[in-house]
Amino acid sequence: MAKYYVGLSTTFHDPALAVVDEQGKVLFAEAVERFYQVKRAYGCAADPRGLVRQVLREHCDPQGEFIIAKSWGRGFSRFMDFQFLLGLTNHEKLARRGAEMTRFLVDQHQLFFALWLQHSTLRLGGGHLADVLIKDFGNRRQRFVHLPHHDVHAAAACFTSPFQEAACVVVDGQGESGSMSYYAYADGRLRPVAQMKGPESLGILYSMCTDVAGFSSEAGEEGKLMGLAPYGEVDPAMLDEFRELGRIEGLKFKYPSTTQLKRWRKRLQGRGRKPGVPAIDMASFAATTQAFYAESMTTLLTNFHALGLSENLVLGGGCGLNSSYNGQLLGATPFKQLHVPCAPGDDGNALGAALLACYQDNPDLRPACEVMSPYLGASISNVSMEHLGEFGRFQKIRHLPGTVHREAAALLAAGKLLGWVQGRAEFGPRALGNRSILADPRPAEMKGKINARVKFREEFRPFAPSVLDEYGSEYFEDYQVSPYMERTLRFKDSAKEKVAAIVHVNMTGRLQSVRREWNERYYDLISAFHDLTGVPMLLNTSFNIMGKPIINSLEDALGVFYTTGLDTMVVGDYLIEK
Ligand SMILES: [Fe+2]
């Protein structure tokens, strides 16, 4: 009988679902925000019925055995029970006293109540997946496992890495008891080395600074702070203030005392961006925050390397999304190789939970040790494609099997803005050539054109390049392979004139390396563009508009196509022009 490990990411933000078979092969992984088309899907279940039915139908035998793995351990359930009772009994008083976590939970009591119910339901062996299996298929072969949050992050990062052995660090906002955990990884086994306990958190500090700069950590806008940083100068006095607050002791990031933290936070809030003030005025604050994050990480990782576990580093947890630091990491620390997974944040924990449950159950299993494909999400429905052909009645829709990439490359070279939808959606926050908006990276004005006509987002934010791997070192200094856009590298000076639209103000780019064996159609498209222009890269941004998740269905794609200045769109072998 087939056996499936279903991972559920059950934090209050970024719920996600993943399925792994008993050989450790990933069958499906997707953040629920794509299914609902609501950014970050706050408070939503990780196993919505519609998605569960779709996954069971397309990727599983519904009569198989299901091991359902949750991305938080029992400690978190107890914490939630405690907070829930506190919230119920002492609502007003606690909110007035400002007990940090409690106030947050009380303020969002409705969300929290829904979450507490979700966690309790899963604890008791329920949930939507369990119910669908019983009601639709009469299948009660289900088992539940509850896995510690940081172990799950570490599994998501290590089991998908190309390394046989590595030192692994998880850095996020908060796990069950702290924000950093260290592991030794070898042959499919994770061994805990150290865990930081307490409220100190580089992740939460970065989120707090995101809010102070006038962005929203709730909307996941830490990347905006990171993108703004290169426009500013590090303020030495402000950096010293950061250093007074957060000190490194061995593998720990420490605050001096709760009182000092409160005082510091007050001072920080005094620096907050006032209404009407442009974001660019916060650039030095952003630069200083990023500099403090980078120096703290460098010290922690150098201390970790000194334990002599490995020359390979695997980085998991939400802080793994700081591509700017990821790109500097190998130059700044003694580690020789770095792997960051395609979804280091809490959405990736769906995959981590499924993989960890699978490897714990099957001790002889060994991971493939290769770059894992990120194309693990939903496909565009065939029925929608048929309906498009039958009812579309576009002025210009052409079916071009085998040649669509060449037609698309010619349109891109002529300056057209192209929506590009192929195969299965990417797992993780980055569009990697299957749900992408693409453009010619050569003209400097292309950046402004996309911002004004398609993305409707802040002018200071950079666009990323997808580059054919074999040409990477022609364009980047100290080129590193970056399959998931997980690191930002420095362009060579000569690149500025060639690909002006994708060179950020500090001469960097958050690149995606493309190899044919990783994404044949995307590779062929960039190659065709290279043949026409001599430039082996494209500007690649996610297929969405600001504030919305990346498109999930053909209908979502058409919605963006017709309500933005996109000129043309390719879906599979169909090319649609306005
Ligand atoms: Fe996390």
Side-chain angles (χ1 to χ4, degrees), residues 149-150 153 172-174 317-318 346 349:
H149 190 69
H150 281 187
H153 270 306
D172 69 355
Q174 186 79 33
D346 277 14
N349 274 359

Side-chain angles (χ1 to χ4, degrees), residues 380-381 383-385 387 551-561:
I380 295 292
S381 137
V383 176
S384 293
M385 289 301 291
H387 287 173
I551 57 114
N552 192 45
S553 65
L554 180 58
E555 291 78 4
D556 301 331
L558 287 166
V560 175
F561 185 54

